């Protein structure tokens, strides 16, 4: 069987990572073309996947104006561009792997649903957690009835102070007017996974939280607007860019460094920090997204889900505690194991396959690509129901954000 051929739209962190699946499994996936506005990234992709000149484009729009030359596209451009690119790609006859969030606008989400229904192509939204062995195992436990009826799920996303400052204070997702609110940008796949685990639709949602720390009033005396411009408190500040963006701290392959510069040398990093938005002091940025948020979901039937997301942790990880009428399951996705407790019996530790869980998002990233390839090859048929299911998490996130902005009032999803 021929490998599925794909053109990558947006060759940043996600685009390059998903494309790398073809190096592990050339019999399943072939990169046939790409588009990116950055010349360095286009050159990198052309070199790594031996792309002909006529399959490399300076924009997604230009690639999509050509006759179709691959089976599918990976849409890995920025949040507000996804729907335009997705609609144009469907019209050309491509299957879509579409980065989340689909869009920060309800009407755009609905528009895509309608177009997807018309063209009947596979559309997989990158809700990667669903595919991770950790969450798949939890889903099997719930479906087997071992835990009884699920009454409450408590889950937290600990972003990590270094990740939060990079992406949500200095970086692409810092300002909801340019990208999306935190609860959509970072957590639509948490909400997707939690609703999928609960197995019941959301009835009401309420939410509280806000931007607590990263603003001018918390700037220490002696700080400067950019870390390299004479900041006097560099040594004691954990957000100092010379610490965070050092190869020693994050490692050469880190997404922090690749977002900052394509020249990962000490000089390249220092030059970039002198001019890039990533060189700014965290207390003097144009950020407005929440740094902590709590969401309560009530499902049809009265079960509840509590979800929290917070900037302030050392590590970046997700934890979950599922409470049922017969038992509970507890774990953290980065630990490769979970604890199953059947009431009145000894707890059981379930260890997950370390290799399968080893890629990004507890193994979900690469397993999602495999799932997508299977769908394109006609094994399974997900569309359009899969897109509509994925978008439910977006509608819940929009309602959560509305509730947060209105001081925590409950929002009925039917409204
Ligand atoms: N599924 C997940 O877990 C997950 C994780 C991180 C990010 N994301 C999402 O993935 C998307 C990409 O994130 P990223 O971290 O790779 O960002 P990135 O900035 O590293 O990559 C985006 C790339 O798109 C290119 N681009 C933008 N507009 C373009 C256009 N019109 N034509 C061609 N190229 C264009 C940029 O030059 C850049 O290289 C975002 O929507 C983000 O929210 C998803």
């Amino acid at each position: 069987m021929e490998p599925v051929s794909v053109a990558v739209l947006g060759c940043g962190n996600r685009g390059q990572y998903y494309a790398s699946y073809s190096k592990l499994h050339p019999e399943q996936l072939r990169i046939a073309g790409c588009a990116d506005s950055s010349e360095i990234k286009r050159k990198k992709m052309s070199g790594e996947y031996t792309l002909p000149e006529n399959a490399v484009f300076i924009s997604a729009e230009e690639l999509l104006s050509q006759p179709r030359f691959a089976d599918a596209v990976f849409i890995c451009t920025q949040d507000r561009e996804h729907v335009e690119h997705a609609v144009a790609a469907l019209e050309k006859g491509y299957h879509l792997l579409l980065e989340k969030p689909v869009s920060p606008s309800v009407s755009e989400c609905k528009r895509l649903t309608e177009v997807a229904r018309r063209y009947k192509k596979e559309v997989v939204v990158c809700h990667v957690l669903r595919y991770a062995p950790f969450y798949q195992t939890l889903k099997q436990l719930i479906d087997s009835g071992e835990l009884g009826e699920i009454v409450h799920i408590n889950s937290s996303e600990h972003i990590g102070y270094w990740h939060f400052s990079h992406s949500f204070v200095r970086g692409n997702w810092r300002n909801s007017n340019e990208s999306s609110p935190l609860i959509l940008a970072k957590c639509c796949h948490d909400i997707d996974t939690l609703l999928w685990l609960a197995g019941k639709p959301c009835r009401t949602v309420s939410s509280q939280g806000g931007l607590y720390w990263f603003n001018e009033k918390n700037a220490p005396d002696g700080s400067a607007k950019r870390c390299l411009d004479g900041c006097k408190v560099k040594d004691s500040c954990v957000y100092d860019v010379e610490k965070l963006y050092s190869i020693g701290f994050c490692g050469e392959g880190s997404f922090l460094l690749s977002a900052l510069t394509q020249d990962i040398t000490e000089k390249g990093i220092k030059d970039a920090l002198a001019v890039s938005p990533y060189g700014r002091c965290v207390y003097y940025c144009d950020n407005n997204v929440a740094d902590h948020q709590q969401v309560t979901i009530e499902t049809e039937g009265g079960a509840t889900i509590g979800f929290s997301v917070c900037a302030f942790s050392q590590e970046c990880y997700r934890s979950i505690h599922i409470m049922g009428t017969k038992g509970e399951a507890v774990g953290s996705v980065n630990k490769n194991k979970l604890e199953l407790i059947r009431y009145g019996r000894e707890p059981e530790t379930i260890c997950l396959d370390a290799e399968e869980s080893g890629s990004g998002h507890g193994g979900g990233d690469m397993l999602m690509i495999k799932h997508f390839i299977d769908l394109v090859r006609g094994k399974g048929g997900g569309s359009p129901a899969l897109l509509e299911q994925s978008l439910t998490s977006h509608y819940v996130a929009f309602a959560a954000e509305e509730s947060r902005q209105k001081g925590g009032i409950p929002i009925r999803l039917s409204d």
Side-chain angles (χ1 to χ4, degrees):
M1 194 182 261
E2 284 290 300
V4 166
S5 57
V6 162
V8 182
L9 312 185
C11 308
N13 273 311
R14 301 308 293 173
Q16 289 187 37
Y17 186 48
Y18 294 145
S20 72
Y21 185 92
S22 69
K23 294 181 190 168
L24 302 172
H25 301 287
E27 74 296 350
Q28 291 180 31
L29 181 70
R30 178 173 70 83
I31 303 304
C34 76
D36 200 289
S37 33
S38 147
E39 190 183 353
I40 299 176
K41 291 178 187 170
R42 290 197 301 274
K43 277 199 178 139
K44 189 163 183 235
M45 290 290 288
S46 306
E48 282 184 29
Y49 300 101
T50 358
L51 301 176
E53 224 170 90
N54 64 358
V56 179
F57 297 87
I58 57 164
S59 72
E61 294 76 2
E62 199 179 318
L63 186 150
L64 292 169
S65 69
Q66 312 295 316
R68 182 170 72 83
F69 64 92
D71 300 316
V73 287
F74 289 174
I75 301 183
C76 303
T77 49
Q78 278 305 339
D79 303 4
R80 285 179 183 259
E81 300 173 299
H82 292 164
V83 170
E84 272 323 311
H85 297 154
V87 167
L90 284 170
E91 286 170 350
K92 285 281 164 165
Y94 289 104
H95 297 285
L96 315 184
L97 183 82
L98 175 58
E99 254 309 351
K100 61 90 192 154
V102 170
S103 165
S105 134
V106 177
S107 60
E108 286 285 274
C109 291
K110 290 189 170 163
R111 178 173 157 228
L112 181 62
T113 310
E114 272 157 32
V115 177
R117 277 191 199 137
R118 212 174 314 140
Y119 288 95
K120 297 194 171 62
K121 292 286 164 188
E122 297 301 341
V123 182
V124 170
V125 177
C126 297
H127 282 151
V128 286
L129 296 177
R130 265 193 193 220
Y131 303 90
F134 178 84
Y135 290 104
Q136 286 282 338
T137 306
L138 286 173
K139 181 69 175 159
Q140 282 158 18
L141 273 177
I142 292 170
D143 289 350
S144 72
E146 292 252 34
L147 305 180
E149 300 259 334
I150 304 307
V151 179
H152 184 68
I153 302 179
N154 193 17
S155 171
S156 295
E157 175 165 16
H158 312 267
I159 298 184
Y161 71 96
W162 47 275
H163 182 355
F164 191 87
S165 65
H166 170 78
S167 298
F168 302 99
V169 180
R170 294 172 163 132
N172 287 338
W173 298 275
R174 70 193 181 283
N175 192 307
S176 57
N177 300 320
E178 286 179 24
S179 56
S180 317
L182 181 77
I183 198 68
L184 183 71
K186 189 81 180 93
C187 313
C188 66
H189 52 182
D190 296 274
I191 294 173
D192 174 74
T193 310
L194 291 168
L195 288 171
W196 169 69
L197 288 173
K200 301 220 172 92
C202 170
R203 187 157 67 189
T204 59
V205 58
S206 57
S207 180
Q208 284 157 322
L211 178 58
Y212 185 95
W213 187 246
F214 298 101
N215 49 43
E216 217 171 310
K217 74 175 191 309
N218 290 314
D221 288 344
S223 55
K225 295 215 165 148
R226 301 185 66 89
C227 299
L228 300 185
D229 286 353
C231 174
K232 294 191 173 57
V233 288
K234 276 171 83 59
D235 290 347
S236 59
C237 179
V238 293
Y239 300 104
D240 171 42
V241 289
E242 283 191 282
K243 282 189 210 98
L244 285 191
Y245 295 89
S246 66
I247 296 173
F249 178 77
C250 46
E252 258 183 47
S254 161
F255 66 91
L256 269 68
L257 291 180
S258 61
L260 172 71
T261 174
Q262 301 298 304
D263 177 7
I264 315 244
T265 59
E266 269 185 35
K267 180 176 180 325
I269 293 169
K270 194 150 190 182
D271 289 350
L273 286 174
V275 291
S276 151
Y278 293 110
R280 291 179 290 179
C281 169
V282 288
Y283 303 106
Y284 292 109
C285 290
D286 57 341
N287 56 311
N288 69 357
V289 299
D291 53 18
H292 69 297
Q293 189 162 353
Q294 169 78 39
V295 177
T296 304
I297 291 171
E298 186 193 21
T299 68
E300 294 295 345
T304 46
I305 300 171
F307 169 71
S308 67
V309 55
C310 186
F312 302 101
S313 59
Q314 172 98 337
E315 304 289 334
C316 171
Y317 67 101
R318 291 177 163 91
S319 56
I320 191 163
H321 187 171
I322 301 177
M323 290 155 256
T325 52
K326 292 187 184 165
E328 39 182 336
V330 192
S332 294
V333 71
N334 57 330
K335 298 269 193 260
N336 281 340
K337 62 180 182 189
L338 52 94
E339 184 120 312
L340 167 63
I341 301 154
R342 299 174 187 92
Y343 301 142
R345 289 165 61 182
E346 282 298 304
E348 181 187 331
T349 302
I350 301 177
C351 295
L352 305 166
D353 181 325
E355 201 180 321
E356 223 190 12
S357 307
S359 73
H361 294 100
D365 286 352
M366 290 297 142
L367 289 165
M368 176 194 65
I369 304 283
K370 180 170 184 325
H371 173 73
F372 178 67
I373 290 167
D374 285 347
L375 288 181
V376 171
R377 285 177 162 173
K379 297 184 206 159
S383 191
L386 199 56
L387 171 66
E388 290 171 25
Q389 251 177 42
S390 298
L391 283 173
T392 302
S393 66
H394 288 48
Y395 299 132
V396 173
F398 294 139
E401 187 61 8
E402 184 185 337
S403 168
R404 186 185 76 81
Q405 286 176 358
K406 291 181 175 167
I409 58 159
I411 309 276
R412 281 190 80 84
L413 255 284
S414 51
D415 300 339

